[in-house]
Amino acid sequence: MDKELKRGILDICVLSSIKNEDSYGYKIIKDLKPYMELSESTLYTILKRLELSKMLSVYSVPYDGRLRKYYHITENGLNRIEEFKKEWQEIVTVYNFVVKGDGKDD
């Protein structure tokens, strides 16, 4: 899979996993597990990128004697999910063209 396409899909998956409630790293990995394998190092790279692009905000909460980082989706993140939904329709159209052939009647 194209590296940039994969990166975009991973970003959307992470944003979607926290769309309805704030979450933390381990829980995000656990929530995404039925759909994809995601290492901690990959996840934290994605989270940092999303935070820098202002699609996520971060706050800490004490848990078991340490601070746990929670991630909250911003309006920019929600907008990115909506943009992706529109873009995905274009990808599906291209996919269907490729799978069905060159579009010419035989």
Side-chain angles (χ1 to χ4, degrees):
M1 180 183 291
D2 177 73
K3 186 178 175 181
E4 291 302 314
L5 179 59
K6 186 173 183 178
R7 176 188 283 188
I9 290 172
L10 289 173
D11 287 0
I12 293 300
C13 289
V14 170
L15 288 170
S16 294
S17 74
I18 63 171
K19 182 174 67 173
N20 296 322
E21 83 177 319
D22 297 354
S23 193
Y24 53 94
Y26 176 75
K27 185 170 182 327
I28 294 169
I29 289 173
K30 192 172 118 186
D31 290 345
L32 290 175
K33 192 171 183 96
Y35 310 102
M36 67 180 59
E37 286 295 317
L38 192 62
S39 69
E40 283 186 45
S41 61
T42 299
L43 174 64
Y44 287 107
T45 300
I46 293 167
L47 291 169
K48 189 65 175 170
R49 181 172 58 246
L50 293 172
E51 180 185 0
L52 290 172
S53 61
K54 302 197 183 316
M55 291 188 215
L56 293 179
S57 61
V58 181
Y59 61 94
S60 296
V61 174
Y63 177 80
D64 256 356
R66 60 184 179 87
L67 291 177
R68 176 183 277 171
K69 272 185 160 181
Y70 278 81
Y71 298 89
H72 173 79
I73 192 166
T74 64
E75 194 66 34
N76 287 343
L78 292 170
N79 290 338
R80 180 63 193 113
I81 291 172
E82 291 308 311
E83 289 170 15
F84 176 81
K85 288 177 186 178
K86 293 173 189 167
E87 292 167 359
W88 191 253
Q89 288 308 307
E90 292 177 36
I91 293 169
V92 168
T93 299
V94 171
Y95 171 82
N96 287 332
F97 171 75
V98 171
V99 169
K100 291 178 183 176
D102 64 2
K104 296 179 183 174
D105 291 332
D106 291 328

